[in-house]
Amino acid sequence: MIPFFDIKFTKEMEEVALQALYNENFIMGESVFKFEEEFARYIGTKYAVSVSSGNSALHLSLLALGIKNGSKVLTSTNSFIASANCILMVGARPELCDINLEDGNIDLSKCEYGVDAVIPVHIYGNPCDYESVIEYSQRYNIPIIEDACQAHGAIYDDKKAGSLGDVGCFSFYSTKNMTVAGDGGMVTTNNEDVANTIRSLRDNGRKSKVEHDKLGFTMRLNTVSAAIGRVQLKHLDEFNKRRKEILRIYQQKLGKELFLGENPKGKAVYHQIVIKHKNRDKIMKHLSDNKIGTAIHYPIPIHKQPLYSKYGFVLPNAEKFVKEILSLPSYPLLKDEEVALISEKIMEAI
Ligand SMILES: Cc1ncc(COP(=O)(O)O)c(C=O)c1O
């Protein structure tokens, strides 16, 4: 049995977790501020503000940038639903964009109309075509909220994902390239006002200890989660290196053509390793029959989800793409011989 995903809680994570629980405040302890400082340094932004999830990171970013009822916000239809839900959560109208078939990232040439903000997603940890995002944002003079929830450590043009736009949003959900062993998120930015607004919004709209001047939320990251996040961040580059090594073994066995393309100006971090084949369902079944877990990211594009179908978007590339893609196991704990076995079973099916 090879599961689609696996991760272990380590002694090192346990030690820092206990240390934080015994010695720090449960909420807003020292580890939270250290994690924020270290994450900002790693991404290369002035500020990093921790929050309770990737979803909260996106939601609070839109609020901090003044996106509200009546605004329109563009994102990719090939993403986790949270990339679009944040738009509805602030009362704005979602505009969903089709993708390119090479790597599944947003294709802005298919969305030549104005909006009030754009949320490019670096899907599967592969940076999207960021040049086109900059052009688009300049054309309409709008902010960029990078959804880097799958792209911890990815690089575009020598800069880390999350440092390219007005804000970057990260998730630390368990399957991500790094986790906090629970839900968690981070917003990265060079904009001090945005950082301060998000600090306030995550903490019930607090202005001072006793005053509240905004309608805020309880969306802080727990101290124990931050302590674990610091350990994971320390290992992030080695985790990403292992993911790349896993891809290399798959490609040695199966050839490169089967795999999604990568942005030539970027360095991907392989949050998912995805193949594309017209016999996807047959491959998936054969792997499942051999007790190998796989997944589809995402089987229903956002514009086809019940919550979004009423907008009536017709996005043919995404609809074709989701019928052919398959995510293979890609987690650092996967062994070389398991990658070889998975490859062998794929060969049998195609
Ligand atoms: C692209 C993308 N955006 C947003 C999110 C939301 O993150 P979270 O699950 O931490 O709320 C996720 C993660 O699941 C994601 O993959």
Side-chain angles (χ1 to χ4, degrees), residues 96-112:
L96 296 168
C97 188
D98 210 351
I99 56 167
N100 73 65
L101 291 168
E102 286 72 49
D103 68 2
N105 263 318
I106 193 164
D107 180 354
L108 284 167
S109 70
K110 295 196 157 61
C111 295
E112 308 235 320

Side-chain angles (χ1 to χ4, degrees), residues 88 92-96 303 305-314:
L88 290 179
R93 184 191 150 90
E95 296 290 346
L96 296 168
H303 72 284
Q305 289 285 352
L307 189 59
Y308 291 87
S309 53
K310 67 175 181 206
Y311 296 99
F313 291 104
V314 179

